[in-house]
């Protein structure tokens, strides 16, 4: 067993541990509020370190890589929704409410923090991932409600919470820009960013996000409305979907001539679905309706994608270049 544990990536162990702890001791009340703020600060620090580690030339190259961004947008807002529609026959074995949850998870934008962190671990195109994932979240503000209206018939009363623009700017883009300034004018900070500090922060922030997200679902009592069989179905479905999309998001970019770094960014940004964005979007779009069954597929997929993608990027990071 000790030899086996040495071969298991700490990132994967941390994700599983954070989930278990959330089920046993979920964050509640004041502690939940404090932990939520700490999580946001950790994410902001991560993006500051990414900005401090990268040269301005690299960052600008990530901003202007339109082929990369377009490819990720197509996977996120075209391929996934088509898969969601194709899952309609699953209502023969699961409730229609759970199917609606599966469809909803395919409509939400990509993650920002975890997709960028995983891209960095696998030595992918980090500046490209920062721009692409942030763009996905911003587009999701408009595209996710529109897709919900078209595909789920929930158009009445839909309105968009534009505060997501402010959140992304303050929590992600501003720290990245400040990191860029530090890279150019404060060499000691640049040296710290290129050390193991970034690796510690990116893994720690993922663990904090997992614990916080699952704590919210447990405190809200969303797991009481779903059977064990349905949970097993969702876990298997999520695993198959992540595996299939990891293959597709590798195969297509290879055929399109993308570099290794860009392929990693496409895989991590193109296979991730954001629980942090999806939960508030669901509450806004569906007007405060009971969200229990609707968000369970997204919660399960969120965990499965992190487990599988973290194991995948760990293998990429260990492989010789």
């Amino acid at each position: 067993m000790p030899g086996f544990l040495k071969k298991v990536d700490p990132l994967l162990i941390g994700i599983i541990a954070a989930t278990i702890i959330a089920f046993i001791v979920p964050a509640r009340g004041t502690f939940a509020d404090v932990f939520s703020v700490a999580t946001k600060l950790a994410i902001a620090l991560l993006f500051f370190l990414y900005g401090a580690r990268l040269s301005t030339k690299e960052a600008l190259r990530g901003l202007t890589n339109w082929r990369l961004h377009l490819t990720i947008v197509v996977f996120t807002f075209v391929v996934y929704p088509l898969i969601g529609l194709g899952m309609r026959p699953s209502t023969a074995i699961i409730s229609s409410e759970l199917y609606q949850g599966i469809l909803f998870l395919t409509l939400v934008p990509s993650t920002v923090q975890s997709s960028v962190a995983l891209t960095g671990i696998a030595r992918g195109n980090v500046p490209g991932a920062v721009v692409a994932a942030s763009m996905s979240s911003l587009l999701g503000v408009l595209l996710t409600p529109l897709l919900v209206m078209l595909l789920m018939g929930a158009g009445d009363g839909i309105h968009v919470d534009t505060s997501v623009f402010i959140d992304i700017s303050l929590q992600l883009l501003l720290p990245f820009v400040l990191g860029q300034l530090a890279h150019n004018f404060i060499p000691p900070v640049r040296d710290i960013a290129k050390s193991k500090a970034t690796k510690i922060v990116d893994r720690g922030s993922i663990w904090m996000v997992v614990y916080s997200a699952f704590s919210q679902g447990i405190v809200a009592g969303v797991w009481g409305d779903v059977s064990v069989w349905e949970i097993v179905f969702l876990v298997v479905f999520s695993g198959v979907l992540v595996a299939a999309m990891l293959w597709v998001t590798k195969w297509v970019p290879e055929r399109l001539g993308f570099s290794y770094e860009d392929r990693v960014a496409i895989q991590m940004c193109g296979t991730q679905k954001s629980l942090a964005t999806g939960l508030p979007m669901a509450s806004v779009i569906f007007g405060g309706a009971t969200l229990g069954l609707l968000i369970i597929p997204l919660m399960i997929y969120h965990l499965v994608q992190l487990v599988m993608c973290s194991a995948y990027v760990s293998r990429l990071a260990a492989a010789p270049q």
Side-chain angles (χ1 to χ4, degrees):
M1 181 64 71
F4 169 75
L5 288 176
K6 289 180 181 179
K7 297 180 181 179
V8 180
D9 186 75
L11 175 62
L12 181 59
I13 295 175
I15 290 171
I16 296 173
T19 305
I20 294 173
I21 294 171
F23 273 95
I24 298 174
V25 190
R28 301 175 184 270
T30 302
F31 174 70
D33 295 336
V34 173
F35 193 84
S36 177
V37 172
T39 301
K40 292 179 179 179
L41 291 175
I43 293 172
L45 175 60
L46 173 64
F47 277 76
F48 173 81
L49 291 173
Y50 277 134
R53 190 174 65 177
L54 297 167
S55 69
T56 302
K57 182 179 179 180
E58 290 176 312
L60 290 175
R61 187 166 64 245
L63 182 64
T64 58
N65 194 345
W66 65 268
R67 291 179 69 240
L68 173 75
H69 308 320
L70 180 60
T71 303
I72 292 171
V73 167
V74 169
F75 279 124
T76 302
F77 294 112
V78 178
V79 176
Y80 265 94
L82 290 175
I83 293 173
L85 289 175
M87 286 298 297
R88 191 176 298 276
S90 66
T91 53
I93 55 176
I94 63 173
S95 68
S96 59
E97 290 84 358
L98 271 185
Y99 165 68
Q100 291 293 312
I102 290 175
L103 181 56
F104 177 69
L105 90 80
T106 65
L107 307 181
V108 301
S110 175
T111 62
V112 179
Q113 182 266 339
S114 61
S115 59
V116 173
L118 291 170
T119 299
I121 291 171
R123 299 173 303 209
N125 183 350
V126 171
V130 170
V131 175
S134 299
M135 184 185 300
S136 176
S137 291
L138 294 174
L139 288 174
V141 172
L142 298 176
L143 291 181
T144 296
L146 177 62
L147 289 169
V148 167
M149 180 179 66
L150 294 175
L151 304 181
M152 298 180 68
D156 293 338
I158 289 180
H159 62 284
V160 176
D161 185 0
T162 55
S163 65
V164 69
F165 290 98
I166 300 175
D167 291 342
I168 289 177
S169 297
L170 292 179
Q171 190 178 351
L172 306 177
L173 298 182
L174 178 60
F176 186 83
V177 171
L178 292 176
Q180 280 285 286
L181 294 174
H183 176 92
N184 291 307
F185 299 108
I186 311 178
V189 174
R190 179 178 61 208
D191 296 336
I192 292 174
K194 291 183 177 181
S195 68
K196 291 185 178 180
T198 302
K199 183 177 181 180
I200 294 172
V201 175
D202 62 25
R203 293 184 174 187
S205 61
I206 289 177
W207 298 335
M208 293 173 75
V209 168
V210 171
Y211 175 73
S212 180
F214 272 81
S215 291
Q216 291 177 31
I218 292 163
V219 171
V222 301
W223 299 97
D225 298 324
V226 61
S227 67
V228 174
W229 150 247
E230 288 172 323
I231 291 177
V232 171
F233 174 85
L234 291 172
V235 171
V236 173
F237 163 74
S238 297
V240 171
L241 180 56
V242 172
M245 289 305 298
L246 279 174
W247 181 83
V248 171
T249 53
K250 178 183 179 183
W251 186 84
V252 172
E254 283 180 342
R255 297 303 178 275
L256 294 176
F258 282 98
S259 66
Y260 166 83
E261 292 78 10
D262 283 353
R263 292 200 303 270
V264 171
I266 291 170
Q267 283 188 291
M268 293 305 103
C269 297
T271 58
Q272 303 279 310
K273 288 294 181 177
S274 177
L275 180 62
T277 303
L279 290 181
M281 276 189 171
S283 64
V284 170
I285 292 173
F286 298 98
T290 301
L291 300 177
L293 290 177
L294 186 72
I295 63 174
I296 283 178
L298 180 57
M299 293 183 69
I300 291 177
Y301 183 85
H302 179 82
L303 176 61
V304 172
Q305 74 184 8
L306 283 177
V307 170
M308 294 183 65
C309 289
S310 65
Y312 179 76
V313 300
S314 295
R315 291 197 301 272
L316 291 181
Q321 288 289 300

